[in-house]
């Protein structure tokens, strides 16, 4: 196989093209349903291929094993695919929402996690690890060549507030400059920034109208179904919005993912999710007002910038002077850490969310 050829096969179309090219040796086929490809599998040379969680009919599976392929069969009864090759979509995670959120794949995965996270079963923990590694691989593939800007902020920011609207306009502005907006993928400030990126191709009035519609279901409590349903109503009215990335976690399963991120990398391990989100924000991070989680993210991001462990420090913009100097005085500590180091010119504090894009652009320039 040509070393420049992508070895990973993640869709049925990719499988068909690979079979047409010749032997499957060296390929990794991830979670592709091959039950309708008995003839292709019978004809193909599968020696050296690896099949990861691919449904196959028994005769076809016996044949590829006989060829010398490694076959890791699907695990029955799981509400997720541990070997998945692609990121999630909101449509996938919220499938069946009309019957209630508790019926969706997202809710069922969280229930499975709750049952298995502390039972000591090495098989369950292995499945979680495999899944999260597959998600990281898919996320890296999706972001190749992208300039990613992270937007961090609290989950409690309600729809219908001035703060939510500001975060949405921030996401729209950043997306319109060609940056890929990435958030923690949940509700509140995270949803607002993903919404803004979704609104970026439309006329400005679209976002104002969407904000008004969403305000009718201001929070995911008491009803996730109503909250998510309002987001899908917006998407139905304005289809094919701009893309962005959400990186949520089932560790905080009571916080559902938002429906405005075009691609969702959902993890079981929150530490992997947190570090991965910040590490991939290569064009910098904007920190909106938040509480403990946002404070943690500020210093999780500051540490590699302090040591230059990921290369040149990336920009950090903290929004709301009073919040970050008085209520939660993270800014003075960040300034003290940065003093005299390369990261000193890569941190900024602004009063309003409207100032954040200019501050970010100045540091990127």
């Amino acid at each position: 196989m040509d070393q420049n050829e992508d070895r990973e096969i993640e869709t049925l179309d990719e499988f068909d093209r690979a079979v047409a090219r010749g032997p499957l040796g060296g390929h990794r086929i991830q979670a592709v349903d091959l039950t309708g490809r008995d003839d292709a599998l019978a004809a193909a040379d599968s020696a050296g291929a690896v099949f990861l969680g691919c449904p196959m009919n028994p005769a076809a599976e016996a044949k590829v094993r006989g060829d010398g392929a490694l076959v890791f069969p699907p695990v029955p009864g799981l509400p997720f695919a541990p070997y998945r090759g692609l990121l999630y979509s909101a449509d996938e995670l919220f499938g069946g929402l009309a019957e209630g959120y508790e019926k969706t794949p997202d809710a069922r995965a969280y229930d499975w996690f709750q049952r298995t996270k502390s039972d000591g079963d090495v098989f369950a923990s292995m499945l979680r690890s495999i899944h999260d590694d597959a998600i990281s691989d898919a996320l890296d593939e999706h972001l190749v060549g992208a300039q990613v800007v992270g937007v961090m902020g609290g989950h409690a920011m309600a729809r219908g507030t001035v703060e939510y609207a500001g975060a949405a306009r921030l996401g729209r502005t950043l997306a319109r400059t060609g940056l890929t907006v990435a958030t923690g993928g949940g509700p509140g400030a995270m949803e607002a920034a993903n919404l803004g990126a979704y609104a970026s191709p439309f006329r400005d009035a679209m976002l104002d109208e969407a904000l008004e519609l969403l305000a009718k279901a201001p929070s995911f409590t008491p009803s996730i179904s109503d909250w998510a349903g309002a987001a899908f109503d917006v998407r139905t009215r304005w289809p094919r919005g701009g893309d962005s990335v959400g990186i949520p976690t089932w560790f905080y399963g009571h916080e559902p993912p938002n429906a405005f991120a075009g691609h969702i990398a959902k993890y079981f391990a929150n530490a992997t999710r947190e570090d991965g989100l910040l590490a991939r924000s290569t064009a910098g991070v904007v920190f909106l007002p938040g509480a403990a989680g946002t404070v943690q993210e500020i210093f999780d991001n500051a540490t590699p910038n302090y040591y230059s462990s990921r290369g040149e420090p990336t920009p950090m913009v903290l929004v709301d002077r009073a919040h970050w100097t008085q209520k939660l005085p993270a800014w003075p500590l960040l300034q003290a850490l940065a003093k005299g180091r390369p990261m000193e010119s890569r941190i900024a504090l602004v009063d309003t969310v409207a100032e954040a894009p200019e501050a970010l652009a100045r540091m990127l320039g």
Side-chain angles (χ1 to χ4, degrees), residues 288-300:
L288 301 174
T294 310
V295 172
Q296 177 182 343
E297 288 161 349
I298 289 172
F299 292 104
D300 280 348

Side-chain angles (χ1 to χ4, degrees), residues 51-250:
F51 293 84
L52 299 167
C54 297
M56 286 183 275
N57 291 318
E61 182 177 336
K63 189 269 177 186
V64 299
R65 287 184 186 273
D67 284 348
L70 284 175
V71 178
F72 295 80
V75 179
L78 284 182
F80 64 94
Y83 301 107
R84 64 178 299 120
L86 301 172
L87 297 177
Y88 292 101
S89 68
D91 291 316
E92 179 182 0
L93 288 174
F94 284 106
L97 182 64
E99 300 177 30
Y101 171 72
E102 66 278 1
K103 302 291 186 182
T104 66
D106 185 65
R108 290 189 289 111
Y110 176 57
D111 287 344
W112 178 88
F113 179 47
Q114 288 293 96
R115 293 195 310 271
T116 63
K117 68 181 181 180
S118 58
D119 65 3
D121 183 358
V122 66
F123 185 54
S125 62
M126 182 189 73
L127 291 172
R128 293 194 296 270
S129 296
I130 290 171
H131 169 273
D132 286 1
D133 189 68
I135 287 294
S136 290
D137 181 68
L139 183 58
D140 285 337
E141 290 177 358
H142 176 69
L143 294 177
V144 168
Q147 279 193 296
V148 181
V149 58
V151 178
M152 311 297 169
H155 70 273
M157 185 184 288
R159 295 167 173 174
T161 63
V162 172
E163 292 78 13
Y164 185 96
R169 293 189 178 100
L170 170 67
R172 182 177 65 184
T173 299
L174 295 172
R176 284 178 173 174
T177 67
L179 296 170
T180 296
V181 173
T183 78
M190 297 171 279
E191 180 190 53
N194 287 128
L195 166 64
Y198 185 89
S200 60
F202 301 101
R203 58 189 175 87
D204 286 358
M206 172 269 173
L207 182 55
D208 295 332
E209 294 174 43
L211 290 169
E212 186 176 345
L213 290 173
L214 291 170
K216 297 175 183 178
S219 174
F220 62 93
T221 58
S223 172
I224 294 175
S225 297
D226 291 346
W227 174 84
F232 280 103
D233 288 344
V234 168
R235 287 182 34 178
T236 299
R237 182 167 175 179
W238 293 281
R240 297 179 297 279
D243 192 22
S244 65
V245 173
I247 307 181
T249 174
W250 280 295

Side-chain angles (χ1 to χ4, degrees), residues 152-155 252 274 278 285-304 316 318-320 322-334 337:
M152 311 297 169
H155 70 273
Y252 297 129
E274 289 274 10
L278 294 167
V285 182
V286 178
F287 297 92
L288 301 174
T294 310
V295 172
Q296 177 182 343
E297 288 161 349
I298 289 172
F299 292 104
D300 280 348
N301 197 47
T303 300
M316 300 175 64
L318 277 61
V319 176
D320 191 329
H323 186 86
W324 294 121
T325 62
Q326 298 173 34
K327 184 176 181 180
L328 295 174
W331 174 250
L333 178 54
L334 185 62
L337 281 171

